[in-house]
Amino acid sequence: MTAFDAEVAAYTKANPKSKKLHDRATAVLPGGDTRNSIFWNPFPVYLTHAEGTQLTDVDGNVRTDFVNNMTTLIMGHRHPDVTAALHEQVDRGVSYPAPAPPVIRWAELLCERVPSLDKVRFVNSGTEATLNAIRAVRAYTGKTLIAKCEGAYHGNHDAIQISVTPPLSKAGDAEDPDAVVMFPGINPAAADDIVIMPYNNLEASERIIRSRASELAAVIVEPINGQCGMVPAKPEFLQLLRDLTSELGIPLIFDEVISFRAASGGAQEWYGITPDMTCFGKVIGGGLPVGAFGGKEEIMQLWDPNHGSDFVQHAGTFNGNPMTAVAGVTTLELLTPDVYEQLERKGEKLRQMIRDLITELEVPMGVTGATSLFALQFTTEPVTDYRSYATNDKEMLQTVFTGLLNEGILMSNRCAGNVSAVHTDDDLDVFVSALRRVLVRAGYA
Ligand SMILES: Cc1ncc(COP(=O)(O)O)c(C=O)c1O
């Protein structure tokens, strides 16, 4: 029996009620759920309760959560202030057919914290945030082409579901990657409107941007790449993108759906590099569905219905709904400079503890990340871009992911994680001890 088979057998034995629910779910939901990002084989666990850092499933298993709903719950589950704000709003009504005052405070908080933001609009997902930011720059420039990085996920819509995890057989030259449509159903023509840059490769990205400069509506980049394992951009890479786009008159979009948790002003404050437009999601909604996009007045004014005949239509039944707004305002107000300092300290400490364990057990793996974000990499290559990420040993990844579930730890199904404000140093020890047991079982000792 392989180490993976052994972990799956133990997992199946410990989670019979989840298995039963999954069998029922697959009859009515393709794959048993509505999010592929929380799917794993042989079946996911079904959760009934979450508190702080702890998740309880239907079988009564308790696990320490290092996913926090994909980096969203920066204050942990059921923070009392957020819960109280939501209860209060429930009593006032959950959504209205006219604006609610908390939305103004929410927008003010973002514009105060993010100097590049003159104005902002709220939506219900990070997907809608990038969709609208791309529409904004296309409306503003009158151009269509977007430059994005290989291995970057910017949401689930046609314009940008290109070269996220392309098979290497189709991905072309590492220095000049092809634009690969990610799955059937996406308009194949979407790939014609995208040019792909290798992440963190200054020379190649400069060449690619310069060669298409006159056609580009924007360059979009994630300051810390989530898809490849929370891989931070080299500061000089982001600076190059900023200098080049300024020189060539191309709007620069930062996708901060994940990286906004880096600092009060997001990764743009952390790096000291200012984009023209920013996309938000996750933490700004305090755990409820959310997205936002914003930036310079001259671009955002296109969204004002009084702007004139060329204004950009933007609707959305639940945009800026008061439930998300109060959860978002409460969360942002809880995020004081001290909280960010602690998040970064805990993130650095955890990555160092994992590195020490890898060295001690001589495991062919690594750890990536920045601030409160981290990911396990099952390769000895330093992971700085998609091509190095693609060297991961997938079987080992799945063995460790399943082993950690058996040891009471939840990571994302790609072995990425993050710490929240309520993780303690003890939680970090719990993680590393669990990882040690899993690696020892896998034959490293
Ligand atoms: C960088 C980035 N952009 C956009 C999105 C899409 O956000 P959502 O899942 O809220 O649609 C994600 C989601 O994980 C993301 O990580």
Side-chain angles (χ1 to χ4, degrees):
M1 199 189 263
T2 65
F4 176 60
D5 291 340
E7 294 293 357
V8 169
Y11 175 78
T12 305
K13 192 163 171 223
N15 296 282
K17 290 186 181 158
S18 279
K19 161 102 180 66
K20 212 167 162 195
L21 281 178
H22 184 66
D23 290 344
R24 188 177 131 205
T26 49
V28 282
L29 297 152
D33 194 32
T34 61
R35 289 164 79 187
N36 291 2
S37 51
I38 55 167
F39 174 85
W40 61 81
N41 278 316
F43 55 87
V45 288
Y46 286 73
L47 301 175
T48 56
H49 192 69
E51 185 79 44
T53 61
Q54 302 297 296
L55 301 171
T56 306
D57 71 20
V58 287
D59 288 289
N61 298 309
V62 178
R63 296 182 179 86
T64 304
D65 184 12
F66 284 90
V67 182
N68 295 304
N69 202 12
M70 303 299 174
T71 74
T72 297
L73 289 152
I74 194 164
M75 297 309 301
H77 295 275
R78 292 191 75 238
H79 188 284
D81 294 2
V82 179
T83 307
L86 285 169
H87 279 150
E88 201 185 308
Q89 188 60 45
V90 164
D91 290 339
R92 294 165 184 264
V94 294
S95 67
Y96 306 140
V103 179
I104 306 170
R105 176 76 188 127
W106 199 20
E108 285 168 352
L109 277 169
L110 285 176
C111 290
E112 277 161 21
R113 286 170 183 225
V114 187
S116 67
L117 223 59
D118 293 331
K119 289 202 173 134
V120 63
R121 277 239 166 174
F122 292 105
V123 286
N124 296 296
S125 65
T127 291
E128 290 171 77
T130 61
L131 183 155
N132 280 284
I134 288 171
R135 187 174 289 168
V137 291
R138 285 178 170 164
Y140 177 68
T141 61
K143 297 174 185 172
T144 308
L145 193 69
I146 303 288
K148 81 174 277 281
C149 290
E150 188 173 50
Y153 177 65
H154 294 293
N156 192 19
H157 58 96
D158 280 24
I160 208 79
Q161 271 283 19
I162 313 286
S163 294
V164 179
T165 51
L168 292 182
S169 58
K170 292 190 184 164
D173 189 329
E175 301 275 311
D176 196 5
D178 290 337
V180 181
V181 167
M182 282 317 300
F183 41 77
I186 291 180
N187 179 358
D192 300 339
D193 295 332
I194 292 279
V195 58
I196 304 295
M197 308 174 291
Y199 189 61
N200 273 335
N201 183 328
L202 280 72
E203 212 179 301
S205 296
E206 174 163 8
R207 177 179 35 76
I208 290 164
I209 291 172
R210 282 196 188 280
S211 70
R212 306 293 298 270
S214 63
E215 301 161 77
L216 279 169
V219 171
I220 184 167
V221 67
E222 212 189 342
I224 302 171
N225 178 303
Q227 169 65 41
C228 294
M230 310 302 180
V231 179
K234 294 176 190 162
E236 58 272 26
F237 179 68
L238 287 187
Q239 191 61 57
L240 170 89
L241 295 184
R242 177 65 287 180
D243 294 345
L244 210 50
T245 50
S246 298
E247 179 200 324
L248 300 169
I250 303 165
L252 178 64
I253 306 173
F254 275 8
D255 180 347
E256 293 234 36
V257 169
I258 288 181
S259 66
F260 190 61
R261 58 166 35 234
S264 162
Q268 51 199 274
E269 177 188 316
W270 198 69
Y271 279 99
I273 298 173
T274 305
D276 302 302
M277 291 285 292
T278 305
C279 304
F280 304 89
K282 317 265 193 203
V283 301
I284 68 156
L288 272 69
V290 78
F293 62 100
K296 288 187 169 170
E297 168 71 21
E298 63 204 73
I299 301 177
M300 293 306 292
Q301 64 169 348
L302 294 171
W303 261 250
D304 180 348
N306 288 323
H307 178 69
S309 58
D310 63 344
F311 92 97
V312 180
Q313 195 50 268
H314 181 225
T317 306
F318 298 105
N319 290 355
N321 73 78
M323 293 293 286
T324 308
V326 298
V329 166
T330 309
T331 300
L332 288 173
E333 285 178 340
L334 287 165
L335 289 169
T336 56
D338 179 54
V339 175
Y340 288 105
E341 254 172 52
Q342 286 304 315
L343 282 165
E344 180 147 359
R345 180 193 67 77
K346 285 184 281 186
E348 273 172 15
K349 181 174 175 187
L350 182 56
R351 287 190 297 277
Q352 190 54 50
M353 285 161 68
I354 297 169
R355 257 182 238 119
D356 291 346
L357 179 67
I358 292 169
T359 309
E360 182 199 326
L361 299 183
E362 297 180 14
V363 195
M365 60 180 281
V367 60
T368 44
T371 73
S372 54
L373 302 159
F374 70 103
L376 306 178
Q377 304 279 358
F378 299 92
T379 172
T380 49
E381 258 192 54
V383 175
T384 57
D385 59 9
Y386 178 66
R387 302 294 168 117
S388 45
Y389 168 74
T391 63
N392 262 271
D393 176 337
K394 304 226 166 43
E395 174 154 349
M396 187 164 172
L397 186 154
Q398 279 171 6
T399 304
V400 171
F401 168 73
T402 314
L404 286 171
L405 282 167
N406 290 333
E407 290 291 342
I409 300 286
L410 185 68
M411 294 194 85
S412 84
N413 60 8
R414 294 195 310 270
C415 279
N418 61 90
V419 291
S420 75
V422 295
H423 278 104
T424 61
D425 287 55
D426 283 350
D427 290 319
L428 310 186
D429 292 338
V430 165
F431 181 91
V432 177
S433 305
L435 182 60
R436 171 188 291 277
R437 288 192 293 276
V438 172
L439 292 173
V440 167
R441 277 206 298 274
Y444 299 97

